[in-house]
Amino acid sequence: MNKTVFVPSLGTSEPLKTGSPELEALLSQIAEGASARERDRVLPFEIIDLVRRARLGALRLPVSAGGAGSTIRDLFAFVICLGEADANVAHILRNHFSVVERLVRTPKDEQSRAWQKAVAQGAIIGLATTELESPRVGNVTPGTTFTPDGNGDYLLNGTKYYSTGTLYSDYVLVRAADPDGISGATIVPIKRDGIELVDDWDGLGQRLTATGTTHFRNVKVKRQEIVFDTPDTGYGVPYSNTFAQLFLTAVVAGIARATLRDATALVRSRKRTFYYAPAEVPTDDPLLQQTVGQIASGAFAAETVVLAAAEALDVATDAFDAGASNAAEAAHTAALLSAKAKIIADDFAIRGGSLLFDVGGASATKKVTNFDRHWRNARTLSSHNPTTYKARSIGQYEISGTPLPAKGFF
């Protein structure tokens, strides 16, 4: 990536498009200082403001709606690059793009069109869906509630955890249930009365994602701001979480590329080597060369499987939008490939993060280098819906033809 300083601005200009020189310049600017930000826990508000002003969140919106009209494959290729530049920033935007994909990209009513307009103008959407209570296996009904206020609208009450990215956002999507137990989602401004954002995320990795707690206390929600689940709308659509899961895997693939970048630079910069090394100069050491080759191959594999799954997700999305008869089958195929991609990418990224220290020795473990962030971040992302559950479901399908779960992160 080049070192051109990019200062985006809103207005009548088009949103940046994947592969453009301007986007490459922005990625370079995001990468600058990413390690220090993570090491010193400097929350990237300024970086997210650059993203907002560049309207990166509109990449998947149609051109006719003020977006860039990117395919899912184009988007995930960009996410991999963003994950390489700064895994925290990439993860922060994951929920935004997932919400856009579900409820904003293809409006069904005036409210959806209003949300689409906001995204086209640069708005970022966060997410608040997860609750710490232990529900029955398979139960997805939220404990957070939509309570009728007697005037045709609702009051939103509840507490959510793992609200990744919401601290940096303009809007937040919240999952809740009405008195009849019918689940739905609403998108509301984060500055609306009754919303409290708490930056209490203390994970070992992805430390700047603000994956903290969000409280909702009698937040007023208009009826038109709620989208209740149906088989063809929002969270009611089978395999509607495949996009969100593959997004995380794309970030992991980006981490694998960042590990390769740092491992290569580390070997090139070394002035001394081990007493028993087979070569005087580190760059000529066949063992270090082999280790870097392993990291490079893993990064290539991770990126390749993510993009293959993204292509399948493009096919499934197009089929769903067109109401095609094979839409359900295409969605299952995309979910299956996404699950397989996660297993491969997670494995290689975590391994690569460990191998990085084999090319640097003990000096590479100094806090100032912050090289451990690659392993920590990949390990943290991999823990979202562990690969063991993915592998078991894939095996069930291969042996018995049992479809993958249509809900949860498949």
Side-chain angles (χ1 to χ4, degrees):
M1 293 186 290
N2 58 51
K3 293 295 181 181
T4 304
V5 176
F6 177 72
V7 183
S9 61
L10 284 175
T12 57
S13 59
E14 295 182 354
L16 295 183
K17 295 183 179 180
T18 54
S20 68
E22 294 83 5
L23 188 56
E24 288 296 310
L26 180 57
L27 284 169
S28 181
Q29 195 167 350
I30 291 171
E32 191 72 32
S35 176
R37 286 193 300 269
E38 203 265 9
R39 184 190 65 225
D40 301 332
R41 203 175 187 278
V42 177
L43 298 179
F45 284 103
E46 293 183 2
I47 297 298
I48 299 302
D49 194 46
L50 287 178
V51 169
R52 183 180 287 109
R53 291 163 58 194
R55 297 195 286 159
L56 289 185
L59 283 174
R60 275 287 287 158
L61 293 186
V63 174
S64 60
S70 299
T71 64
I72 293 176
R73 189 191 190 282
D74 287 342
L75 173 63
F76 279 87
F78 162 71
V79 172
I80 292 170
C81 295
L82 184 58
E84 178 185 4
D86 188 325
N88 283 279
V89 172
H91 192 184
I92 286 167
L93 296 176
R94 176 252 197 156
N95 288 330
H96 168 86
F97 283 107
S98 298
V99 173
V100 168
E101 201 66 20
R102 280 195 184 97
L103 298 177
V104 178
R105 186 179 57 84
T106 306
K108 294 181 181 295
D109 55 28
E110 287 303 314
Q111 180 59 65
S112 294
R113 275 182 273 276
W115 290 331
Q116 187 180 78
K117 182 178 179 181
V119 170
Q121 292 176 340
I124 302 296
I125 304 174
L127 188 74
T129 63
T130 303
E131 298 168 357
L132 291 187
E133 290 76 12
S134 299
R136 301 185 309 276
V137 172
N139 177 33
V140 294
T141 303
T144 300
T145 59
F146 290 128
T147 304
D149 67 355
N151 298 312
D153 295 322
Y154 292 82
L155 294 177
L156 174 67
N157 283 280
T159 296
K160 300 289 189 176
Y161 301 87
Y162 310 124
S163 309
T164 303
T166 301
L167 190 67
Y168 307 97
S169 301
D170 305 289
Y171 293 83
V172 57
L173 181 145
V174 191
R175 293 279 291 159
D178 71 5
D180 295 322
I182 300 174
S183 299
T186 183
I187 300 175
V188 294
I190 61 168
K191 293 184 178 179
R192 186 167 289 181
D193 289 345
I195 299 177
E196 180 188 3
L197 306 176
V198 184
D199 180 25
D200 57 356
W201 169 240
D202 64 350
L204 67 89
Q206 297 300 96
R207 294 175 174 176
L208 306 183
T209 57
T211 305
T213 305
T214 307
H215 299 288
F216 300 93
R217 302 183 180 98
N218 290 325
V219 179
K220 294 181 179 179
V221 180
K222 297 177 182 177
R223 172 60 187 88
Q224 61 265 31
E225 292 177 318
I226 301 175
V227 179
F228 286 105
D229 296 351
T230 70
D232 63 350
T233 303
Y235 284 76
V237 177
Y239 303 108
S240 63
N241 273 318
T242 299
F243 180 96
Q245 180 62 81
L246 188 59
F247 195 104
L248 283 185
T249 306
V251 179
V252 169
I255 292 172
R257 284 180 34 159
T259 303
L260 172 61
R261 177 199 65 211
D262 286 352
T264 302
L266 181 58
V267 173
R268 289 172 177 167
S269 68
R270 285 183 57 174
K271 304 301 181 184
R272 51 191 291 271
T273 190
F274 300 105
Y275 171 80
Y276 40 78
E280 190 72 28
V281 179
T283 53
D284 294 333
D285 188 327
L287 297 180
L288 300 184
Q289 292 169 348
Q290 179 186 11
T291 303
V292 171
Q294 288 176 296
I295 295 172
S297 300
F300 169 75
E303 181 173 358
T304 299
V305 293
V306 167
L307 295 181
E311 290 176 1
L313 193 53
D314 262 321
V315 172
T317 301
D318 290 346
F320 177 80
D321 289 347
S325 59
N326 69 332
E329 180 182 356
H332 183 268
T333 297
L336 181 65
L337 293 186
S338 178
K340 291 178 178 179
K342 173 178 167 60
I343 292 172
I344 296 299
D346 286 2
D347 180 45
F348 280 121
I350 292 169
R351 238 191 299 168
S354 181
L355 286 172
L356 171 58
F357 295 98
D358 289 342
V359 302
S363 61
T365 67
K366 295 173 67 175
K367 287 184 178 180
V368 68
T369 67
N370 202 30
F371 288 144
D372 64 305
R373 75 187 188 281
H374 300 310
W375 184 91
R376 287 188 290 100
N377 291 340
R379 180 64 266 184
T380 298
L381 287 168
S382 179
S383 298
H384 290 65
N385 315 293
T387 56
T388 48
Y389 287 90
K390 301 284 185 181
R392 184 258 182 171
S393 292
I394 293 169
Q396 254 194 321
Y397 171 76
E398 296 293 347
I399 294 169
S400 307
T402 305
L404 269 59
K407 299 294 182 182
F409 281 92
F410 275 94

